[in-house]
Amino acid sequence: MILPSGFQTDTTRPSFGPALIAFRMQSLLALIAGCLAVIIAGMELAHYGGDLLYPTGHGPTPLTLICILLLSIALIYKTLFPVVQLWRRGLFALVFALALFRLAEIYLLAATPLSDVAAFLFNRDPRDDMAMSTAISLMLFSLGAFLRPVVPVSGFVVTLSGLVPVSFVFLIYSYGLTAANVDMSPATLALLILIGVSSIFSFSRSVILRPLLTTSAWGRMARLQLFGTMVGVWIVGAVSHLTETAMMFEAILASAMWLFGMIILVSGSVFERIERDRRALLREVEHRARHDPLTGLLNRHAVGDYVAMVQNMARGRRRDDDEITVGVILADIDFFKRVNDTLGHEAGDRVLQNVAGVLRGKLRSSDMVARWGGEEFLMLLPGATQDQAMNIAQVLRTAIATHVSWKNGLEVEPITISIGVTCYDSRNGADSLEKTIQHADTALYSAKTQGRNRVKCFRSERGQAVRATDLLPPRDKVH
């Protein structure tokens, strides 16, 4: 049984399970997109599947497939932190340049040299060139990924903007508007959705997306809101797509959907800061409720929680389970009142702090050290036997006398402690851990009355009267 000083788990901090899922999905979606692009490229080279890939006259053109392959290669390699990697940034910059040049072909140039070169690589005459919406989405996806290591918030906004034309085309296809003038084939749409979502998931650690991908109350609520918004937008478009303004209306819906999503994500970063401050304040309150402000050790309240936990474990154990043992050491500073009366309470406080530091430094991280009250200190040693607790108590007594002292006029006097020791054993059903601590107090009283600066052990023998036994008596006399 291991029990560190802060043995209660912090339940105020939300987990990032959804973020880890998104992080793993990033490379998986990019891999699927890359494999589909390779398959489609093979069909292009074999001149197979034209009716499937070009139902609207604007299928995955050679230039589109090249850009998808480059993006998928860069996105498959995932990094938890936004690290600048030159080869990835080079691929993103190349895709951005290709998409930007394609837009220049559409709006500025009379010829299409880039599309002609891409078609030549696929060994076929150009049938259709990359559409404007496809070029815009690819340009924004690559630009957002390029900006991610430097300005992640701006990169996320740019990447999310690349999904607007994709969403518009998706709405058109989902409503069955085959007569609409759509400049993107279903195959191209599928590739862009995979690459776009993979690009979004690459921002799972960004300040704007991280709150959405937690198990906090706001994260769960925001995910439901986003899902409800997308479903609601689709339903509104489905009801109104028969009107004459259907195309314009669906374009507005696609833009509004991602705008509303962006508002939710931005509010999430604000909410996360508020929630982070609240959790920090709650942890501070819990820490103060369980720790002594002077020495930093645990207090009686924390000991009570531990005692209750041990009792619950003892009641729930089976016969074949190992016994639960806890060594109990109760120490009291000898003649502490003299320090306060001679030098004042500030000097007394320093002595308490020094004693606490020595006790904590001599014990395991799994041992509990608490300020029991005044100048008393309680130590609980999980798994320790009575003999082991006695040996540890002698080590503590010697360490205090060696390392802690106070100046009484011209003389430096060592600080000594008296110690009572006992051990809790779950096989002894008659005594609880709380009762065992009381037995340690009885042994401590015996150590005080028999001269101080010594270790006394409490033992109960076969129903006879309990008595304090002096095991391992002090070898030195320090007063």
Side-chain angles (χ1 to χ4, degrees), residues 296-407:
L297 300 178
L298 294 171
N299 57 19
R300 278 179 173 264
H301 177 71
V303 174
D305 290 343
Y306 174 65
V307 169
M309 185 185 71
V310 171
Q311 294 301 131
N312 290 334
M313 292 175 61
R315 283 193 294 268
R317 64 183 293 272
R318 298 187 298 269
R319 287 186 177 181
D320 54 347
D321 290 340
D322 294 335
E323 68 276 5
I324 299 175
T325 60
V326 179
V328 180
I329 300 176
L330 187 61
D332 183 88
I333 301 178
D334 298 329
F335 304 113
F336 181 71
K337 188 174 183 298
R338 288 180 55 204
V339 179
N340 282 333
D341 293 343
T342 304
L343 300 180
H345 289 283
E346 290 187 1
D349 290 346
R350 286 194 296 271
V351 169
L352 290 173
Q353 292 170 340
N354 292 337
V355 170
V358 172
L359 295 178
R360 179 72 271 175
K362 291 296 180 179
L363 295 177
R364 303 169 300 178
S365 60
S366 59
D367 297 330
M368 170 181 281
V369 185
R371 187 181 178 190
W372 194 236
E375 60 269 24
E376 286 188 342
F377 298 89
L378 176 67
M379 286 139 282
L380 302 178
L381 319 177
T385 63
Q386 186 160 268
D387 290 341
Q388 290 172 337
M390 284 294 298
N391 291 331
I392 294 173
Q394 286 290 351
V395 171
L396 296 176
R397 184 187 64 83
T398 304
I400 295 297
T402 303
H403 298 291
V404 184
S405 61
W406 67 290
K407 192 172 184 179

Side-chain angles (χ1 to χ4, degrees), residues 124-140:
R124 72 170 179 85
D125 295 330
R127 186 164 40 177
D128 289 294
D129 297 326
M130 180 191 290
M132 176 191 66
S133 58
T134 303
I136 291 176
S137 293
L138 289 172
M139 182 182 69
L140 294 177

Side-chain angles (χ1 to χ4, degrees), residues 28 30 37 71 77 111-112 131 136 139-140 145 153 175 188 216 218 277 297 333 335 354 415 446-447 465 470-471:
L28 178 61
L71 283 178
Y77 185 84
T112 57
I136 291 176
M139 182 182 69
L140 294 177
V153 174
Y175 298 149
T188 303
S216 65
W218 185 91
D277 293 341
L297 300 178
I333 301 178
F335 304 113
N354 292 337
I415 293 293
S446 177
D470 189 0
L471 299 181

Side-chain angles (χ1 to χ4, degrees), residues 32 35 55 62 85 109 129 133 187 189 213 248 296 298 326 366 422 470:
I32 294 174
C35 291
Q85 294 175 312
L109 304 178
D129 297 326
S133 58
L189 175 63
L213 300 176
M248 179 61 68
L298 294 171
V326 179
S366 59
T422 187
D470 189 0

Side-chain angles (χ1 to χ4, degrees), residues 124-195:
R124 72 170 179 85
D125 295 330
R127 186 164 40 177
D128 289 294
D129 297 326
M130 180 191 290
M132 176 191 66
S133 58
T134 303
I136 291 176
S137 293
L138 289 172
M139 182 182 69
L140 294 177
F141 290 158
S142 57
L143 179 59
F146 185 85
L147 295 176
R148 174 182 170 246
V150 183
V151 278
V153 174
S154 300
F156 179 81
V157 173
V158 171
T159 303
L160 194 65
S161 301
L163 287 174
V164 173
V166 177
S167 305
F168 167 67
V169 176
F170 175 80
L171 289 175
I172 295 298
Y173 279 122
S174 65
Y175 298 149
L177 300 180
T178 56
N181 185 22
V182 182
D183 60 354
M184 188 185 299
S185 74
T188 303
L189 175 63
L191 292 174
L192 290 178
I193 289 176
L194 291 171
I195 286 295

Side-chain angles (χ1 to χ4, degrees), residues 35-257:
C35 291
L36 288 178
V38 170
I39 293 173
I40 295 174
M43 297 171 67
E44 292 273 3
L45 290 172
H47 299 281
Y48 174 79
D51 294 336
L52 172 66
L53 302 179
Y54 295 87
T56 61
H58 294 277
T61 65
L63 184 58
T64 301
L65 293 176
I66 292 173
C67 292
I68 293 292
L69 279 172
L70 293 175
L71 283 178
S72 63
I73 292 172
L75 290 172
I76 286 174
Y77 185 84
K78 57 187 178 183
T79 55
L80 187 59
F81 298 95
V83 181
V84 177
Q85 294 175 312
L86 294 180
W87 70 270
R88 297 182 73 205
R89 289 171 66 83
L91 291 179
F92 293 138
L94 178 58
V95 174
F96 176 81
L98 293 175
L100 184 63
F101 193 87
R102 173 56 193 154
L103 289 176
E105 287 183 344
I106 296 174
Y107 292 106
L108 300 178
L109 304 178
T112 57
L114 183 61
S115 299
D116 294 341
V117 171
F120 174 77
L121 294 176
F122 279 77
N123 193 26
R124 72 170 179 85
D125 295 330
R127 186 164 40 177
D128 289 294
D129 297 326
M130 180 191 290
M132 176 191 66
S133 58
T134 303
I136 291 176
S137 293
L138 289 172
M139 182 182 69
L140 294 177
F141 290 158
S142 57
L143 179 59
F146 185 85
L147 295 176
R148 174 182 170 246
V150 183
V151 278
V153 174
S154 300
F156 179 81
V157 173
V158 171
T159 303
L160 194 65
S161 301
L163 287 174
V164 173
V166 177
S167 305
F168 167 67
V169 176
F170 175 80
L171 289 175
I172 295 298
Y173 279 122
S174 65
Y175 298 149
L177 300 180
T178 56
N181 185 22
V182 182
D183 60 354
M184 188 185 299
S185 74
T188 303
L189 175 63
L191 292 174
L192 290 178
I193 289 176
L194 291 171
I195 286 295
V197 177
S198 177
S199 299
I200 290 293
F201 283 168
S202 67
F203 291 87
S204 56
R205 283 202 79 259
S206 68
V207 66
I208 199 168
L209 190 59
R210 186 176 60 233
L212 179 70
L213 300 176
T214 65
T215 56
S216 65
W218 185 91
R220 294 192 298 269
M221 179 188 66
R223 289 194 293 272
L224 287 175
Q225 286 179 337
L226 280 176
F227 178 76
T229 299
M230 293 179 181
V231 173
V233 166
W234 188 89
I235 292 175
V236 171
V239 172
S240 61
H241 80 275
L242 296 177
T243 65
E244 296 180 356
T245 59
M247 292 286 289
M248 179 61 68
F249 186 71
E250 286 149 3
I252 295 174
L253 282 180
S255 302
M257 177 177 65

